[in-house]
Amino acid sequence: MMKKALNLVVGAPASGKTTFARRLATRRKAALFDIDECTETLVRAALTAMGESPDDRDSPVFKTTFRDPIYQSLMDMARGNLGHVDVVVCGPFTKEMRNPNWLQDVQAQIGLPCSVRAYFVYCDSEVRRSRMLARGNPRDASKLADWSAHEAYYLGSPSPLYPHVAVDTASEESIERSLRVD
């Protein structure tokens, strides 16, 4: 039996992660677990019950309470499906970009024979900003209100320190080339 593939799609907000991940999952006939689609309803309900803004994704309260459980849930869903289908997991994974051993750590965490590949999606800062404005998601309000601080946070590690396929989502040629990587 051929071992399954875990494809990790990482990058900054509005860099094109979800759009690329959907195309990758379609191309690979893989299950797709997008961080927002998988966790948004529960996170909004919990933040509201805590008396916090349901749109918060940047505060210390959000990061200390939800970040690790959200990412653990994504990996649990991946593990639960890798026995029978390839999987695409999509999320920022910002902190993980600074870990050169992250792919090996994920492999150990999954605990199943599978190949692990990362796709780093990116685009120009102004393209990201215009995408945020166009999508009108309330979660982006704090990012747009202080764009320079938001950008400074994501410029700390411009690309992952582990092996990855770089995908410029402003270029259809880059996207197509990346979708063909085996």
Side-chain angles (χ1 to χ4, degrees), residues 26-122:
T26 298
R27 178 80 52 108
R28 302 284 168 101
K29 295 179 177 42
L32 171 60
F33 300 107
D34 178 272
I35 191 168
D36 295 331
E37 293 172 353
C38 291
T39 65
E40 183 68 12
T41 303
L42 290 172
V43 169
R44 290 183 70 79
L47 284 167
T48 300
M50 293 169 62
E52 302 290 333
S53 167
D55 298 320
D56 171 28
R57 298 299 178 277
D58 298 307
S59 74
V61 169
F62 174 82
K63 291 184 189 294
T64 59
T65 306
F66 295 100
R67 187 190 190 285
D68 290 344
I70 285 171
Y71 284 123
Q72 183 61 53
S73 294
L74 289 171
M75 293 304 164
D76 291 346
M77 288 183 271
R79 183 184 315 101
N81 283 272
L82 278 167
H84 61 277
V85 67
D86 289 347
V87 171
V88 175
V89 173
C90 175
F93 292 102
T94 310
K95 184 169 63 172
E96 291 77 5
M97 284 191 204
R98 298 176 187 110
N99 176 359
N101 299 311
W102 186 55
L103 300 183
Q104 294 89 343
D105 294 348
V106 167
Q107 178 72 59
Q109 180 183 7
I110 293 296
L112 296 171
C114 66
S115 62
V116 179
R117 174 177 290 136
Y119 295 84
F120 171 63
V121 299
Y122 67 94

